[in-house]
Amino acid sequence: GSEMCIRDRDYTFSIHSLIGNKMNLDSEVISDNEMRISIGEFNQGFFFLLVDDKIRKKRKIIKFLKN
């Protein structure tokens, strides 16, 4: 399926389109340290996953392509 998993509850995240629009997320908690985000409803194209580390106060941006 079209899904991505993020591990660790010390992080917050959001997904943005290539032009910067924040996407609505349908997420499911799998366990204390794993969450599934469905991207099946997104259009094809590039998106950015923004992961904010709440402990270290850092942000990681991951670019991905939805086919």
Side-chain angles (χ1 to χ4, degrees), residues 4-16:
M4 305 179 80
C5 290
I6 305 291
R7 296 174 186 268
D8 201 325
R9 60 183 168 257
D10 295 328
Y11 296 87
T12 59
F13 58 90
S14 60
I15 295 179
H16 298 260

Side-chain angles (χ1 to χ4, degrees), residues 30-59:
I30 305 300
S31 66
D32 285 345
N33 64 352
E34 187 173 356
M35 178 177 288
R36 178 178 295 140
I37 305 167
S38 175
I39 60 170
E41 299 297 317
F42 290 9
N43 291 327
Q44 291 183 347
F46 284 100
F47 295 89
F48 296 96
L49 172 65
L50 280 63
V51 182
D52 291 307
D53 183 331
K54 296 187 290 188
I55 304 301
R56 296 179 189 89
K57 305 290 189 218
K58 293 187 177 182
R59 172 177 278 179

Side-chain angles (χ1 to χ4, degrees), residues 2-3 23 25 35-36 40-41 50 59 61 63:
S2 298
E3 59 194 35
M23 306 300 292
L25 296 179
M35 178 177 288
R36 178 178 295 140
E41 299 297 317
L50 280 63
R59 172 177 278 179
I61 301 173
K63 182 179 174 182

